[in-house]
Amino acid sequence: MSDDELDIHLRRLGLGREDVRLYQWLLGTGPATHSAIASALDLSEADTAAAVESLTKAGLVATTDVDTIAPIEPSTGLQRLARARESELRAAELAATNAYRQFRRSVWQQSPDDLVEVITAPYVAERVHLEESAATKEVLRFDSPPYTTQRGPNDLEVENLGRGVSYRCVYARAAVRQPDYYAENIQPCIAAGEQARVLPDVPVKLSIYDGRLALVSLSDAEMEISRSSLLIRQSSLLDALIGLFESSWRAALPMHLGTKEPSSLRPIERKIIELLASGITDHAIAELLGISRRTLSRNLESLTTRAGVVNRFQLAVYACRNGWI
């Protein structure tokens, strides 16, 4: 790292210009007395003492004897500076948010036009990433194809789940039927803690973040504008979208196995029941699991016999009622 780069980084952590000059000089020459520092950097005694004090408080230098200053191992000091900047950033964020709220209350009263923002195609993915990264409590989602971007592993969701953000997703059956999407996106998210359910269709492509705003993809039927999205802020419209999600969630079938499944249930049987509850065809199940129709039929026969039922519908009902899914 060059001296210029170090200067930039240390200044970002809150050190002053003279503090950084002194620290870099000490790194290049070694321990020095106050008078040697003042002479080499053309500083007054007062400025030298102030810079030494600042670096000492930051945990970057220490006095080794009566008047000699030397750099010390910086990890602890740098962590302290970083935490201080994080605290200042949070305070600044809170102050800016409160100031903006006061502005909207007293200067610029919200109009209906402010409740809805159109996000055009080039910026949709960026805005989704921004809003989802900022979620702290819960993300609600309707998921269905077609997808306007290449869909692979959803690393952001897995990361959010790891830091305590809950996810409830209702998938359209068509999403589950896509082998790559199911294997690369849906299954890893469920394994990471996503609560997933499935419906034959979902009413709209939708994501709701912490109950404070929603992103809605425009109708797939309007193909010329389907790649744009609407951002809905807190309003009765957002309340209606949350209500729509909750009613759909109650009507949807769970996609993941619960904690009560019989210990004798083999991994392939667990996956079959999971997909069976989603309502997709036997052909699609076999394709998703990479097995033959004959192998699927043999496993279904074993499961129906164990459950004491005669068809796949009754098996799905049995699995739901008995905590298999």
Side-chain angles (χ1 to χ4, degrees):
M1 180 183 295
S2 68
D3 288 346
D4 288 343
E5 289 175 323
L6 179 60
D7 179 281
I8 292 171
H9 293 311
L10 292 176
R11 294 289 295 275
R12 284 173 177 168
L13 287 172
L15 294 179
R17 185 173 64 87
E18 298 302 341
D19 304 339
V20 174
R21 281 186 65 213
L22 170 53
Y23 185 62
Q24 290 180 308
W25 184 80
L26 288 173
L27 290 175
T29 61
T33 62
H34 280 69
S35 59
I37 293 170
S39 175
L41 299 180
D42 194 24
L43 296 174
S44 67
E45 291 185 6
D47 289 341
T48 301
V52 168
E53 182 180 5
S54 176
L55 290 171
T56 302
K57 289 181 178 179
L60 297 179
V61 303
T63 302
T64 58
D65 55 34
V66 177
D67 191 42
T68 302
I69 310 301
I72 60 175
E73 207 288 319
S75 298
T76 301
L78 292 175
Q79 289 174 7
R80 186 187 304 122
L81 287 172
R83 286 195 296 270
R85 298 295 80 74
E86 289 174 3
S87 178
E88 291 172 0
L89 286 172
R90 286 194 295 270
E93 179 184 9
L94 180 61
T97 300
N98 289 338
Y100 181 76
R101 288 173 178 169
Q102 179 62 31
F103 161 74
R104 296 306 295 265
R105 285 194 298 266
S106 60
V107 179
W108 186 18
Q109 297 297 319
Q110 190 177 54
S111 70
D113 291 341
D114 299 326
L115 301 177
V116 179
E117 177 183 349
V118 178
I119 312 298
T120 53
Y123 309 105
V124 171
E126 178 183 345
R127 193 60 175 269
V128 168
H129 189 276
L130 174 66
E131 300 299 346
E132 193 162 343
S133 298
T136 59
K137 298 177 182 177
E138 184 178 50
V139 176
L140 310 178
R141 178 169 291 149
F142 285 142
D143 187 301
S144 67
Y147 303 111
T148 57
T149 58
Q150 184 68 32
R151 298 302 295 260
N154 193 337
D155 295 331
L156 178 56
E157 178 176 338
V158 172
E159 179 183 338
N160 280 353
L161 286 164
R163 62 183 179 87
V165 180
S166 65
Y167 276 74
R168 287 190 289 150
C169 298
V170 177
Y171 292 92
R173 188 177 299 164
V176 182
R177 285 176 173 169
Q178 298 188 13
D180 291 344
Y181 187 61
Y182 179 78
E184 296 177 5
N185 190 296
I186 298 177
Q187 277 195 321
C189 289
I190 291 175
E194 174 187 288
Q195 300 177 64
R197 297 188 178 185
V198 66
L199 285 172
D201 293 293
V202 294
V204 66
K205 296 175 72 170
L206 166 72
S207 294
I208 301 173
Y209 305 104
D210 291 340
R212 59 182 176 82
L213 63 84
L215 278 168
V216 183
S217 292
L218 297 183
S219 172
D220 289 334
E222 303 172 34
M223 293 306 294
E224 69 277 8
I225 58 172
S226 65
R227 297 182 64 187
S228 297
S229 292
L230 299 179
L231 187 148
I232 313 296
R233 297 184 176 86
Q234 288 185 320
S235 60
S236 58
L237 177 56
L238 178 59
D239 293 340
L241 290 172
I242 293 173
L244 175 63
F245 177 87
E246 295 295 352
S247 62
S248 298
W249 177 260
R250 289 190 293 270
L253 285 172
M255 282 184 59
H256 50 87
L257 294 170
T259 58
K260 301 179 182 179
E261 71 271 11
S263 58
S264 60
L265 210 60
R266 294 180 292 115
I268 187 66
E269 293 174 329
R270 294 192 182 100
K271 293 180 179 179
I272 288 172
I273 293 175
E274 176 184 307
L275 291 169
L276 192 67
S278 70
I280 64 177
T281 65
D282 288 356
H283 176 77
I285 293 176
E287 184 180 3
L288 286 168
L289 296 181
I291 60 177
S292 67
R293 290 288 299 277
R294 178 175 296 181
T295 299
L296 175 62
S297 296
R298 187 165 56 249
N299 280 280
L300 283 172
E301 183 179 355
S302 173
L303 288 166
T304 54
T305 300
R306 190 181 315 177
V309 299
V310 297
N311 57 46
R312 55 179 287 160
F313 175 76
Q314 292 176 345
L315 177 59
V317 172
Y318 178 90
C320 289
R321 289 178 176 175
N322 290 273
W324 288 12
I325 56 176

